[in-house]
Amino acid sequence: MARSTSGESVLTRVDRVLSCFDGDNPTRTAADIARHARLPIATAHRLVNELVSLGYLERTPGRRIRLGVRLWELASRGSRAAGLREAAMPVMEDLHAVVGHHTQLSVRDGLEALFIERLSTRGGSRNIIRVAGRLPAHACSSGIVLVAHAPANVQEQLLASRLQRYTDRTPTDPESLRRMLADARTHGFVVADGLITPGATGVAVPIRGPREDVVAALNVVVPSEGGNGLAQISALLAAARSISRALGLHPRLDADLTSM
């Protein structure tokens, strides 16, 4: 694979170009891309032009650049998120109608929770997450659930990392976080009050795949004052079991987990 004089592959540079875009910056100029991707302006222009010709990027009428539908098309064909979203959405819609709060689906990517679906509630508690958004695992209910059921080396990696403080409730002490992970495994749910957003409580439960492994987390976000996070657990657990069955969890394993 062709490499630059710095030793970087083309794919590494393309990844940096595509990673320039997010919910706060859905479009950029070529100069913006060069700056944020740390590329010479000529290199950035060349890569952008090639990516536009392939459909991975698009030009707006104002000549700004945005992500192209080709990326969505490829991601929708066979990613693990596509099948998971398809299985989860009918259940999430029912859950959302019952609880009346933001309802979200996430998977673990490294030491972060990556949110692949979200049903929002008008006038609900403040919630900073968007579809395709990420949160650090130690600072959200979904992330704690996902890491609690991840391999031991992932847990140790998180515990050994710098745990950034977002509010006065964010766990930044490794031993406190270790206890939270253990409680998540023991109780089968997490109630996290104000870990990343003051006044918002996340309640999360695991979703299991056919082999009983945890493949995702389902959570709701309720107001800390009067949101009654604990009251959402039964509905969340029932919804998670329905999604797990849709993913192929054996009925016997589902019954064993329900009795835990």
Side-chain angles (χ1 to χ4, degrees), residues 157-210:
Q157 184 183 355
L158 177 63
L159 293 166
S161 65
R162 178 178 174 270
L163 301 174
Q164 183 174 346
R165 183 182 298 278
Y166 296 91
T167 72
D168 59 3
R169 293 179 178 269
T170 309
T172 57
D173 171 57
E175 288 310 309
S176 297
L177 181 56
R178 190 185 296 276
R179 288 192 294 272
M180 293 178 72
L181 296 173
D183 287 343
R185 290 189 295 272
T186 299
H187 301 303
F189 62 85
V190 169
V191 178
D193 182 9
L195 300 194
I196 198 164
T197 305
T201 296
V203 188
V205 298
I207 294 171
R208 297 179 183 270

Side-chain angles (χ1 to χ4, degrees), residues 8-259:
E8 289 183 325
S9 69
V10 172
L11 281 179
T12 297
R13 286 173 281 166
V14 167
D15 178 70
R16 289 215 304 273
V17 168
L18 297 177
S19 297
C20 289
F21 301 92
D22 56 32
D24 295 323
N25 299 281
T27 66
R28 287 191 183 276
T29 65
D32 285 339
I33 293 171
R35 183 170 60 257
H36 283 84
R38 305 185 304 282
L39 292 171
I41 187 68
T43 301
H45 272 286
R46 177 175 59 80
L47 290 176
V48 165
N49 287 338
E50 290 184 18
L51 290 168
V52 167
S53 69
L54 293 169
Y56 297 114
L57 294 177
E58 297 175 345
R59 283 193 172 87
T60 70
R63 305 299 293 172
R64 292 176 68 86
I65 309 299
R66 65 187 175 197
L67 294 176
V69 295
R70 177 68 171 158
L71 288 171
W72 171 84
E73 178 189 0
L74 292 176
S76 298
R77 285 181 182 175
S79 73
R80 58 178 169 139
L84 180 57
R85 289 178 65 250
E86 183 177 354
M89 272 304 291
V91 181
M92 288 182 65
E93 289 170 348
D94 289 344
L95 176 66
H96 183 249
V98 169
V99 302
H101 296 289
H102 305 307
T103 305
Q104 302 172 151
L105 180 70
S106 61
V107 296
R108 182 179 65 84
D109 188 27
L111 300 181
E112 297 177 311
L114 172 61
F115 291 82
I116 62 174
E117 190 54 83
R118 176 177 187 263
L119 299 176
S120 61
T121 298
R122 187 182 299 275
S125 60
R126 181 168 175 255
N127 188 14
I128 62 175
I129 201 60
R130 298 169 176 167
V131 172
R134 296 170 178 264
L135 289 178
H138 74 286
C140 65
S141 60
S142 295
I144 293 171
V145 161
L146 291 166
V147 172
H149 296 279
N153 66 302
V154 174
Q155 297 174 29
E156 294 304 321
Q157 184 183 355
L158 177 63
L159 293 166
S161 65
R162 178 178 174 270
L163 301 174
Q164 183 174 346
R165 183 182 298 278
Y166 296 91
T167 72
D168 59 3
R169 293 179 178 269
T170 309
T172 57
D173 171 57
E175 288 310 309
S176 297
L177 181 56
R178 190 185 296 276
R179 288 192 294 272
M180 293 178 72
L181 296 173
D183 287 343
R185 290 189 295 272
T186 299
H187 301 303
F189 62 85
V190 169
V191 178
D193 182 9
L195 300 194
I196 198 164
T197 305
T201 296
V203 188
V205 298
I207 294 171
R208 297 179 183 270
R211 293 182 298 276
E212 198 183 337
D213 53 323
V214 171
V215 297
L218 180 67
N219 85 295
V220 296
V221 181
V222 303
S224 297
E225 296 270 340
N228 200 359
L230 289 172
Q232 317 303 325
I233 294 171
S234 294
L236 269 168
L237 289 171
R241 287 194 295 271
S242 294
I243 297 171
S244 296
R245 286 194 294 271
L247 292 173
L249 180 66
H250 192 279
R252 179 184 60 78
L253 293 176
D254 185 21
D256 290 345
L257 293 169
T258 303
S259 64

